[in-house]
């Protein structure tokens, strides 16, 4: 699915504002409480989302200037940055989120048209894919906060694009499935559709289930039986 990256930046702006509004409604001590991600507090999730914005800012800078600017200095530096920021006061985390987003938005606005076609080897795609990647991070990790924002709150277009992306990136050769999202004209196939079970239900619910962010309780399986266990999604 091809979408103008600058059009997607509007979605990123709106998704970030929704995330910030959720954070602003938390108590000061919430940053130390468990999130919906095992082993991570709310503060870990918020810090990760902020540092991820900086990582994508680096990639857009690389695409615009041609000067190699990795997303993170190293995997260790990435993990250390999240850990170091997780316990900060909530007000500091919210300010960091907003400022990191503004840096990312400024980097996107500074991109000349030809820079969006620059191939970023670490991502395996052109710079035009970065706004979608950022939108996915914000929307999925907003759910991961575990503070009232759920896949039911995902915009329709986001849920459908996420679903199609997951379907297109499953590498488990033993997992075969036919998906019938409500309101979508055609079925989606994972692996070999011949003889595979069919899962039907709301697009958001199917996407959340495959992404490990929903239990699929409102999905149906044909022939009747238990939902198969989907492969772990990133």
């Amino acid at each position: 699915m091809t979408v103008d990256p600058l059009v997607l930046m509007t979605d990123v702006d709106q998704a970030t504002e929704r995330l910030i509004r959720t954070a602003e409604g938390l108590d000061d001590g919430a940053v130390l409480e468990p999130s919906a991600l095992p082993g991570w507090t709310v503060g870990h999730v918020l810090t990760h989302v902020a540092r991820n914005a900086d990582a994508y800012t680096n990639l857009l800078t690389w695409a615009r200037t041609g000067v190699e600017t990795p997303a993170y200095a190293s995997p260790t530096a990435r993990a250390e940055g999240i850990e170091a920021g997780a316990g900060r006061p909530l007000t500091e985390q919210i300010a960091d989120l907003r400022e990191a987003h503004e840096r990312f938005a400024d980097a996107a606005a500074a991109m000349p048209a030809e820079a969006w076609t620059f191939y970023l080897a670490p991502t395996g795609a052109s710079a035009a894919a970065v706004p979608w990647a950022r939108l996915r991070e914000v929307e999925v990790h907003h759910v991961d906060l575990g503070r009232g924002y759920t896949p039911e709150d995902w915009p329709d277009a986001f849920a459908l694009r996420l679903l199609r992306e997951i379907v297109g990136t499953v590498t488990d050769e033993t997992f075969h499935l036919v998906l019938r999202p409500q309101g979508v004209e055609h079925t989606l196939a994972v692996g070999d559709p011949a003889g595979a079970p069919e899962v039907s239900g709301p697009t958001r619910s199917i996407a959340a289930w495959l992404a490990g962010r929903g239990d699929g309780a409102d999905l149906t399986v044909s022939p009747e039986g238990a939902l198969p266990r989907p492969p772990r999604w990133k």
Side-chain angles (χ1 to χ4, degrees), residues 12-192:
V12 175
D13 290 340
Q14 294 170 349
T16 302
E17 280 303 312
R18 289 192 292 270
L19 173 61
I20 288 173
R21 285 199 300 272
T22 295
E24 288 174 337
L26 301 177
D27 295 331
D28 291 342
V31 294
L32 301 178
E33 296 172 356
S35 72
L37 283 180
W40 269 18
T41 64
V42 167
H44 282 94
V45 176
L46 293 175
T47 298
H48 167 61
V49 175
R51 296 291 70 77
N52 173 264
D54 287 336
Y56 284 133
T57 296
N58 288 342
L59 292 181
L60 291 185
T61 300
W62 184 350
R64 180 175 57 82
T65 65
V67 177
E68 184 172 343
T69 314
Y72 298 96
S74 68
T76 299
R78 174 186 178 275
E80 289 176 346
I82 295 170
E83 195 63 40
R88 293 172 299 163
L90 181 61
T91 53
E92 185 176 331
Q93 300 232 26
I94 292 171
D96 185 23
L97 271 173
R98 191 177 296 280
E99 291 163 8
H101 170 68
E102 289 172 355
R103 289 190 292 270
F104 177 65
D106 288 346
M111 292 278 284
E114 63 272 14
W116 290 112
T117 67
F118 185 90
Y119 180 74
L120 291 163
T123 69
S126 72
V130 169
W132 161 250
R134 177 58 183 165
L135 178 61
R136 183 185 60 216
E137 287 285 319
V138 174
E139 286 288 1
V140 172
H141 286 311
H142 194 169
V143 171
D144 290 338
L145 283 179
R147 294 304 184 274
Y149 190 84
T150 75
E152 285 297 309
D153 298 303
W154 284 341
D156 291 341
F158 171 80
L160 181 56
R161 181 164 182 168
L162 178 65
L163 174 58
R164 286 176 169 162
E165 178 181 76
I166 295 172
V167 166
T169 56
V170 172
T171 58
D172 186 341
E173 297 181 355
T174 68
F175 187 69
H176 307 287
L177 203 64
V178 174
L179 303 173
R180 190 177 293 279
Q182 293 173 358
V184 177
E185 184 177 354
H186 302 291
T187 59
L188 302 173
V190 180
D192 183 1

